Amino acid sequence: MKLSILFALLPLVSAAPANGRPKPRPAPLKYPGLDVLAKRAGLLYFGTAIDNVVLNNTKYVSIAHNRSEFGQVTPSNGQKWMYIEPERNVFNYSMGDAIVKPGIKAGQMRRCHTFVWHNQLPAWLEKGNWTKAELTKVLENHIKNEARHYYDQCYAWDVVNEAFEDNGTWRDTIWLRVLGKEYIELAFKFARKYASPRTRLYYNDYGIERVNNKSLAVAALVKDYVKRDIPIDGVGLQAHFTVGRAPTYENIKASLNLFIKEKVETALTELDVRLALPDSPEKQAIQAEIYANSTKACVDVSDCVGVTVWDFWDPVSWVPETFPGNGNACLLDADFKRKPAYYAISDMLRSYD
C-alpha cells in the first residue's frame, strides 16, 4: 500500500486485517467490486460522484452506496456555493447532506466538492459590487461555515476548482478581478483554519492530464505554495476524456509525476469518457481502454491515492447536456448493465492482486 495512504482519515477507512488485505465487504456481486480491487492494487479508494437529481431511484442509490463497488462518494453539485449559501449568510446543507450522510452510514469515504469556483454562484455573490475587503470576508465566512458543518466528514476538500485557462493563464473570474491571484492562497488558508486538520486540501482542474501549459502552471503554483508553507495537500486531475482524443497512459503518468515531485498527493477526481453518438462496439472498446489506462496510471504512480468516476450511470451523466451529440460516458448503461469499460477496469486491477 502506498505511503500516502497511511495519512488517511482514520475514522473513514476500515482497518486491514493481519494478512494486510482489505477486509472483504458483503455485496451481491458476481465479481469483487471496483473498490475492493482498487484497494488490493494499492489505492485508497475507487469512488463515484453522485448528483441529487437521481436520489429517488432506489436501484441507483443501492449501487452508489455499495461500498464494495465505490469506497468513496463525492457530491457532484450539492456542496457548491449556489446550493450551500443561496442568500448571503443563509446556509442550506440539505443537498450535500443527502449524499454525505448515507456515505457515512455505508462506511464510504467522502471527497467534498467544492469551496471556490467561478461557476454555480448565487446571484447575490456574482452580481455584487464588492470591495476587496468585503469579498475576502464573504469568502472566509463561506468556507468557515461549510468546513465546520462537514468537519471531519471529508477525506479531502476541493478547495479551489478550475482557476486556470487552457493556455495556463489565470481564468477571469469574480475572484481574480476583485481579490487578485492571492484568492487561491486565501482559500487554502481559510480551509486549513476551519476544516479538520486531517482533511486533505486539493486544487482541482481539468485538462491537466498531459504535461502542457496548464498543468505546468498548476505545478508552478503548487511548488510556490509548498515552498512558502501555504497549506495544500493534493492536486485533483478531473480526467474528463473523449474517445479519440484522450491522453495516453504515459501522458497521464507523466502529468501525475509533475505534482508528486512537489510532495503532494494526486487523484483522478472526475473520470468519465464520452463518445460521439451513435454508440458502437468499436467505440466502447476504445472507451474501455481509456478507462483502464487512466486507472492504471494512478495505480502505477506513487501517491496517486484514488480514482473517482463522475457518476457511473449514463442517464444522469452531465455529458449530453454540456456536449450535444456526445454521451454514454459512464460505466453502466441505461439498464444498469456493466459496460466493457467496467470490466476493463476490473480486469486491470485484478492483474495487481
Side-chain angles (χ1 to χ4, degrees), residues 130-162:
W130 305 103
T131 66
K132 186 172 184 178
E134 288 172 337
L135 192 58
T136 299
K137 289 180 180 178
V138 167
L139 178 65
E140 180 173 11
N141 186 60
H142 179 84
I143 293 175
K144 176 183 72 175
N145 280 275
E146 190 169 13
R148 285 179 172 175
H149 180 82
Y150 292 108
Y151 193 88
D152 229 8
Q153 297 182 31
C154 305
Y155 166 75
W157 262 107
D158 289 331
V159 177
V160 176
N161 198 46
E162 301 176 3

Side-chain angles (χ1 to χ4, degrees), residues 5-179:
I5 293 175
L6 297 177
F7 194 80
L9 299 185
L10 296 178
L12 304 184
V13 186
S14 299
N19 63 10
R21 291 195 177 188
K23 184 178 179 181
R25 296 164 173 174
L29 297 173
K30 184 177 180 181
Y31 301 98
L34 295 179
D35 186 69
V36 172
L37 294 172
K39 284 180 167 63
R40 292 176 183 174
L43 296 181
L44 183 59
Y45 61 80
F46 192 98
T48 186
I50 302 173
D51 200 353
N52 297 75
V53 298
V54 74
L55 296 183
N56 61 347
N57 186 308
T58 56
K59 176 74 170 178
Y60 174 94
V61 171
S62 69
I63 297 171
H65 289 296
N66 181 339
R67 70 173 189 172
S68 69
E69 198 73 90
F70 301 115
Q72 171 267 115
V73 292
T74 299
S76 57
N77 282 297
Q79 292 176 316
K80 290 174 181 174
W81 202 308
M82 66 182 293
Y83 301 114
I84 293 293
E85 194 180 359
E87 300 176 45
R88 187 173 182 181
N89 209 34
V90 176
F91 293 88
N92 183 347
Y93 300 104
S94 58
M95 288 180 63
D97 288 354
I99 292 161
V100 170
K101 287 183 176 180
I104 294 172
K105 185 177 180 180
Q108 295 168 301
M109 301 173 65
R110 285 78 56 195
R111 292 196 81 260
C112 294
H113 175 84
T114 174
F115 285 137
V116 183
W117 193 27
H118 62 279
N119 276 336
Q120 292 182 268
L121 298 175
W124 69 263
L125 174 58
E126 196 160 25
K127 296 180 180 179
N129 185 24
W130 305 103
T131 66
K132 186 172 184 178
E134 288 172 337
L135 192 58
T136 299
K137 289 180 180 178
V138 167
L139 178 65
E140 180 173 11
N141 186 60
H142 179 84
I143 293 175
K144 176 183 72 175
N145 280 275
E146 190 169 13
R148 285 179 172 175
H149 180 82
Y150 292 108
Y151 193 88
D152 229 8
Q153 297 182 31
C154 305
Y155 166 75
W157 262 107
D158 289 331
V159 177
V160 176
N161 198 46
E162 301 176 3
F164 290 94
E165 299 284 4
D166 290 348
N167 62 5
T169 61
W170 294 90
R171 184 183 295 278
D172 181 22
T173 69
I174 182 175
W175 308 111
L176 183 68
R177 290 191 297 271
V178 179
L179 301 181

Side-chain angles (χ1 to χ4, degrees), residues 238-314:
Q238 291 184 10
H240 293 296
F241 297 148
T242 307
V243 167
R245 293 192 291 111
T248 65
Y249 162 83
E250 289 79 10
N251 291 153
I252 300 169
K253 188 175 177 181
S255 188
L256 288 168
N257 278 317
L258 274 180
F259 307 109
I260 299 299
K261 74 178 183 180
E262 302 304 337
K263 310 303 181 185
V264 296
E265 68 182 43
T266 58
L268 303 185
T269 56
E270 304 184 19
L271 176 62
D272 58 17
V273 184
R274 63 185 179 267
L275 52 83
L277 300 174
D279 205 341
S280 70
E282 292 76 19
K283 292 175 184 177
Q284 287 197 23
I286 298 171
Q287 179 187 60
E289 183 178 11
I290 295 167
Y291 263 110
N293 284 341
S294 301
T295 304
K296 179 177 171 59
C298 184
V299 173
D300 288 349
V301 171
S302 65
D303 291 326
C304 183
V305 298
V307 175
T308 306
V309 293
W310 207 241
D311 225 304
F312 60 89
W313 190 41
D314 280 339

